[in-house]
Amino acid sequence: MKKVITKVLGLSLILAAGLFASCSKKGSALRIGVCAGPYGDMVIDAIQPELEKKGYKVKIIEFSDYVQPNNALAEKEIDVNVFQHSTYLKKFSADHGLKLSYLTEIPTAAMGIFSEKYKTIADLPVGSVIAIPNDDTNLSRALRVLAQTGAIELDPNIDASKAGVKDVAVNPKKFTFKEVNAEILPNVLDSVGAAIINGNYAMSAGLKLSDAVYNEQLQAGYFNVIAVRTEDVEKDFSKEITNIVHSDSFRKVIEDPKGQYVAFGRPVDYLK
């Protein structure tokens, strides 16, 4: 009789454990950090609904700069963030000793060169002031975007991903550079010849990517990513987020011709 009771009790525990596992996601809180703009919108439009279908309670936490979201992630104040490209994530993590990793790349708004006074790069007069982001990663990226236009050339002997203003080797129009916090670049447009602005901040300020005098040709390492703590890469929520980003439901939102994402650059594994 004791053996039967023991077996029944053991079976009950196994069934209870299985039931708990199957329901453990139901009501689980998932805190996602974003910066105001299209990537926060992308989470709300294309990722949050699918997570909620899987039983997660998603809380969106908005940050105002590029520093807080990674610190908050490392300190477990949030579980995921969506705001940065992989090059920035890797450098920020290395510089601050953080163990953060990305799950997957997402469609990304290119950096743009905007001007309120001139229609083309060629129209910028000699000595024009160009506003650029003041954080190292986006500063070098902005210089490479300007170099894509042929208006300047960077020293070919340096690592272009670490280029600074001092590495501008050819500058025929003698442009000068004003370093500004990335999030306020749209606010200085009226006081400079042009500003090189991250796509998300441009869109948040009401600028249209199609109105830029030049749009960046996105390169590897500069597509935005979904980041988590490295210890969480193999967690269920991480795998489910990755699957969502590579799902038909996600692509349906991105490809909507009336939506804001249709002009975004697509990472190489977008269709996988």
Side-chain angles (χ1 to χ4, degrees):
M1 188 66 168
K2 287 182 179 179
K3 289 183 179 180
V4 173
I5 293 173
T6 301
K7 286 181 180 179
V8 170
L9 179 60
L11 180 60
S12 298
L13 289 173
I14 291 169
L15 290 172
L19 179 61
F20 178 78
S22 67
C23 297
S24 60
K25 268 186 290 188
K26 188 173 179 61
S28 296
L30 198 59
R31 302 159 299 173
I32 303 180
V34 302
C35 291
Y39 304 111
D41 294 343
M42 188 181 291
V43 170
I44 292 169
D45 294 341
I47 298 174
Q48 181 178 358
E50 299 304 313
L51 283 171
E52 290 177 343
K53 288 177 185 177
K54 296 177 182 295
Y56 291 97
K57 288 185 178 178
V58 178
K59 182 177 182 181
I60 305 297
I61 299 174
E62 191 172 293
F63 295 92
S64 60
D65 62 41
Y66 279 1
V67 175
Q68 297 179 73
N70 280 335
N71 288 334
L73 183 58
E75 293 168 10
K76 300 189 176 182
E77 295 171 2
I78 58 175
D79 307 297
V80 184
N81 71 39
V82 186
F83 78 99
Q84 65 195 317
H85 51 65
S86 59
T87 299
Y88 181 86
L89 172 66
K90 290 173 183 176
K91 186 175 190 307
F92 191 98
S93 298
D95 289 349
H96 296 85
L98 306 182
K99 293 182 179 180
L100 307 179
S101 300
Y102 74 88
L103 302 175
T104 187
E105 295 175 321
I106 57 175
T108 302
M111 189 174 257
I113 303 177
F114 292 86
S115 178
E116 289 188 351
K117 304 170 185 175
Y118 307 104
K119 298 295 184 183
T120 69
I121 296 296
D123 292 337
L124 287 163
V126 172
S128 290
V129 176
I130 311 294
I132 57 177
N134 63 2
D135 64 278
D136 291 345
T137 302
N138 283 304
L139 186 153
S140 63
R141 178 185 178 189
L143 292 175
R144 292 197 304 279
V145 172
L146 188 57
Q148 286 179 1
T149 72
I152 63 168
E153 292 180 23
L154 299 174
D155 183 344
N157 298 312
I158 58 98
D159 180 350
S161 69
K162 299 178 181 178
V165 172
K166 68 182 186 309
D167 299 310
V168 176
V170 178
N171 185 7
K173 286 197 170 183
K174 297 181 171 56
F175 293 145
T176 59
F177 298 94
K178 181 178 182 178
E179 298 178 24
V180 179
N181 288 348
E183 65 271 17
I184 65 170
L185 278 164
N187 299 333
V188 304
L189 267 175
D190 61 350
S191 63
V192 297
I196 307 177
I197 307 174
N198 294 72
N200 61 314
Y201 284 133
M203 294 176 71
S204 296
L207 298 172
K208 294 181 179 180
L209 299 184
S210 58
D211 289 339
V213 299
Y214 181 80
N215 283 302
E216 173 188 22
Q217 302 303 302
L218 281 168
Q219 300 173 336
Y222 292 92
F223 285 93
N224 274 30
V225 298
I226 297 176
V228 296
R229 290 179 291 278
T230 302
E231 66 190 55
D232 291 340
V233 167
E234 295 300 323
K235 295 280 181 69
D236 284 347
F237 76 84
S238 295
K239 293 177 181 178
E240 286 169 345
I241 288 172
T242 301
N243 288 337
I244 288 168
V245 170
H246 296 283
S247 70
D248 290 339
S249 61
F250 180 85
R251 286 190 285 266
K252 183 178 179 180
V253 175
I254 300 302
E255 301 301 328
D256 181 353
K258 296 180 180 179
Q260 63 178 320
Y261 316 111
V262 70
F264 285 23
R266 305 319 195 236
V268 293
D269 64 349
Y270 174 67
L271 294 175
K272 294 180 181 179

